[in-house]
Amino acid sequence: GLDPTLIAERQGAVVIALADGGAAHKEGGIQLGDRIVKIDSLDVVKMMTADDSNKNGPSGTSGYCATELASALLGEYGSRVEVVVDRGGMMCNTSMRRSPLPRGCQWIREGN
């Protein structure tokens, strides 16, 4: 699957780790530090703003944003996902093919 590890923030979701050899890493469309603002038709910024104003999100559970992000990113292997990221103030559009993570993959984080 598409594999960025995300931290929820008010302005989007920041990529803090990528699976070595996963779709986001291999295709290079998502980089460490990118802020994900849109996944296909899901406006991540709007969703996270709504979650913040409702304290625990529209569903009443604190994991609402994480669940929605995972649902938007994951999909049928081989299908494409369109992602818009804010990379240092510049909006970048990328399209990646969903694929399983390689066995025993390592996580790439800043500083390693």
Side-chain angles (χ1 to χ4, degrees):
L2 189 60
D3 49 280
T5 299
L6 306 169
I7 291 183
E9 290 190 356
R10 289 183 184 186
Q11 297 166 346
V14 177
V15 178
I16 60 165
L18 295 169
D20 190 11
H25 178 241
K26 281 192 311 190
E27 296 189 33
I30 295 179
Q31 299 175 7
L32 294 175
D34 282 352
R35 185 176 313 277
I36 297 178
V37 295
K38 192 169 185 180
I39 304 167
D40 288 329
S41 62
L42 176 66
D43 184 331
V44 176
V45 175
K46 184 176 179 179
M47 175 192 68
M48 296 180 90
T49 302
D51 183 53
D52 184 55
S53 67
N54 291 321
K55 303 293 184 224
N56 288 323
S59 68
T61 62
S62 60
Y64 176 77
C65 283
T67 300
E68 290 298 306
L69 288 169
S71 293
L73 289 171
L74 300 175
E76 184 177 339
Y77 292 154
S79 66
R80 298 203 69 83
V81 60
E82 305 289 327
V83 181
V84 178
V85 299
D86 178 343
R87 184 172 297 145
M90 185 168 63
M91 294 300 184
C92 303
N93 297 313
T94 187
S95 174
M96 290 166 283
R97 189 168 305 282
R98 293 174 171 108
S99 62
L101 295 178
R103 287 184 190 222
C105 70
Q106 301 294 310
W107 289 94
I108 301 168
R109 298 180 188 274
E110 290 207 26
N112 72 332

